[in-house]
Amino acid sequence: MLGCDCCCLSSFIYLVGLLTIAKKKIKGNKPLELQEKNFKKDVVYLYQFPGTPTASSMSPFCIKIEAFCRLHGIKIERRNTFAGRGSNNLLPFIELNGVQHSDSQLIIRRLTQIFTLKNYLDDHIAAIGHAVDRLIDNHTFNLMLLAKVPVIDKFVGAIAASNGVPSFLVPIAAILGGKYMGKKMGGRAAISVGKFKEPEYKELLRNDFTQLQTILGKKKFLLGEEPTLVDCTALGQFGAANAIPSARFYVHDLIDSSEFAPLKEYIKRVESRLFGNEFCDKK
């Protein structure tokens, strides 16, 4: 019964994906193989962590890449994967015109060069945009990770359930994947931000939200009346954090509060502008 065997094997992709990096380290690096052999010219093939019915991906950096492509009218096709990895052993990576590019920062730089894009109006705004971009993708991102750790099993379970894993295996994937990812994410984030007590982490995250809302002010987007690269970054982080409504954590408490209502409306505005009604995981 080949069909049943394939179904059972696919159910364990989630566990296999978690072990991919370790396996590569044991076996050693192999030459990169192009995934999309019959590629279309100037189409970006985005290899990313799968999403949910309410988000294109659970990874903020995958969302960021798609948002950037949409911002500039670049054709893009999603390729959901758990086991796939780029040259840096991470996701996302892209393939464009038969060439593979890894790491979200470098991917955006390459796309900017290849398509001759202008990400900001002038050099001064570009410098501010870069500084805010790094704040969001580093400091804010790691504080969000620390806040997410207590409910990471719910995120893993939701991904599994929305991607065809049989219901009886979802709790197993959630427990094992949540335990692995929680330890890995929490340790990495604590090293990046610093080791503090939970109330202090929350204080720092609230301050980041306050600063972002202050930068936004009365503008439609962070740096003006039209979206730029830094808005793609913001959508990635906030969109991924809010992708599973049932897995509530401190970020939800902040973004749903009246204090940060302008910030929440801003995120909705970016999502609507760049994705329309397509901010979901298309099958």
Side-chain angles (χ1 to χ4, degrees), residues 36-56:
E36 186 60 55
K37 304 294 194 303
N38 299 315
F39 60 86
K40 303 172 187 175
K41 180 177 173 57
D42 291 341
V43 173
V44 170
Y45 298 95
L46 172 62
Y47 292 83
Q48 63 164 24
F49 286 111
T52 71
T54 56
S56 62

Side-chain angles (χ1 to χ4, degrees), residues 202 206 209 242 248-260:
K202 289 183 175 181
R206 177 186 287 275
F209 279 32
N242 201 39
R248 289 190 62 87
F249 59 108
Y250 186 58
V251 168
H252 293 83
D253 296 338
L254 291 177
I255 204 67
D256 288 340
S257 69
S258 59
E259 177 183 2
F260 293 108

Side-chain angles (χ1 to χ4, degrees), residues 30-37 93 95 100:
K30 295 181 179 180
L32 292 177
E33 181 180 350
L34 196 66
Q35 302 298 305
E36 186 60 55
K37 304 294 194 303
F93 70 88
E95 290 182 350
Q100 191 176 111

